[in-house]
Amino acid sequence: MTWQRLDPVYSSSYNAANAHLVQCEDGTILCAFREVVSNTSFNIKLSASSDSGNSWHVVGTIDHDSRGLWEPFLLPLSDSTVIAFYSSEAFAPQYSQVIAQRVSTDRGRTWGQVTITTKQSQSRDGMPSVVKLTNGDWLCFFEATDEANPFVIKVVRSSDEGKTWKNRQLVYQPEKSGKLASAPWGILLQDQRLLCSFQTDEDQSDGL
């Protein structure tokens, strides 16, 4: 297998990262990413490519705030409808960080109102990863800080295509309280098993 460099998804003098790629039914590739302009200016932006990633154009801004916006995740529902999930500090100080979502019905050119996927007053919820189940339910895996550990993995469920979320549950918590589990990613396997990967420092000795 070989690799070649294609056109940049986005070029800027600002700090841009946390990219997430999805492909729509017609082959269009969408890429959401966060951009830090300054300590008081944060963006979640969207770029698109209609030629297999050889060229890109910025579609628009999913959200902008004076407080932190991070880690977008895109869920395409049709050729025109896509949902963006992302970590947001816009609801501080009541919530240190929540997972927010917005819906676009014109493939990212305009976005509906911000709603909250998950929030907890004692937690900094972040790094969303959403899986659609065959029964129609959606699961959102995320990292949380409302347990004894620095980070644990939790999940919430929606039975109405993301309009409401409930059943906040623990997915994984390291045995030692000083260890963390973070940055989850969930997928549904062909045999209908759910797989959630994440990073952890459990294999490091306590002195490291």
Side-chain angles (χ1 to χ4, degrees):
M1 180 179 291
T2 60
W3 293 85
Q4 62 179 355
R5 185 182 296 274
L6 301 179
D7 190 55
V9 173
Y10 180 69
S11 296
S12 171
S13 59
Y14 302 124
N15 184 327
N18 297 143
H20 181 225
L21 291 161
V22 295
Q23 189 168 31
C24 300
E25 294 177 357
D26 68 348
T28 300
I29 302 173
L30 301 177
C31 180
F33 55 94
R34 58 94 169 153
E35 180 187 49
V36 180
V37 178
S38 69
N39 291 334
T40 57
S41 182
F42 300 84
N43 296 313
I44 300 291
K45 288 193 171 183
L46 183 71
S47 288
S49 172
S50 57
D51 57 6
S52 300
N54 287 285
S55 62
W56 293 84
H57 67 278
V58 176
V59 178
T61 299
I62 297 172
D63 201 357
H64 168 80
D65 201 270
S66 60
R67 287 166 287 192
L69 301 173
W70 322 94
E71 305 145 359
F73 181 96
L74 295 175
L75 184 67
L77 301 182
S78 67
D79 267 352
S80 58
T81 301
V82 60
I83 302 181
F85 300 85
Y86 52 96
S87 307
S88 173
E89 299 174 358
F91 296 85
Q94 183 177 7
Y95 302 103
S96 173
Q97 183 172 275
V98 307
I99 295 174
Q101 64 184 70
R102 299 187 84 176
V103 179
S104 173
T105 57
D106 54 12
R107 198 179 287 172
R109 287 187 290 273
T110 61
W111 294 86
Q113 66 178 10
V114 177
T115 59
I116 296 178
T117 305
T118 176
K119 64 183 185 297
Q120 188 81 0
S121 58
Q122 278 77 43
S123 182
R124 185 175 173 85
D125 295 350
M127 299 288 289
S129 174
V130 181
V131 178
K132 295 171 64 177
L133 304 183
T134 54
N135 68 356
D137 285 359
W138 296 2
L139 297 179
C140 178
F141 295 93
F142 59 97
E143 63 184 26
T145 61
D146 54 345
E147 303 291 343
N149 305 75
F151 286 98
V152 298
I153 306 302
K154 294 199 170 184
V155 67
V156 289
R157 180 184 296 262
S158 175
S159 299
D160 54 10
E161 297 186 331
K163 296 179 181 66
T164 60
W165 297 84
K166 57 186 179 180
N167 298 337
R168 183 185 181 99
Q169 294 181 321
L170 182 66
V171 175
Y172 187 81
Q173 179 178 12
E175 290 185 7
K176 291 186 177 181
S177 61
K179 298 300 183 178
L180 62 82
S182 60
W185 197 269
I187 61 171
L188 181 66
L189 302 179
Q190 290 184 342
D191 61 7
Q192 303 307 304
R193 287 183 298 165
L194 274 169
L195 176 65
C196 180
S197 66
F198 53 89
Q199 64 184 15
T200 180
D201 60 354
E202 288 182 290
D203 57 344
Q204 292 183 339
S205 63
D206 291 339
L208 296 179

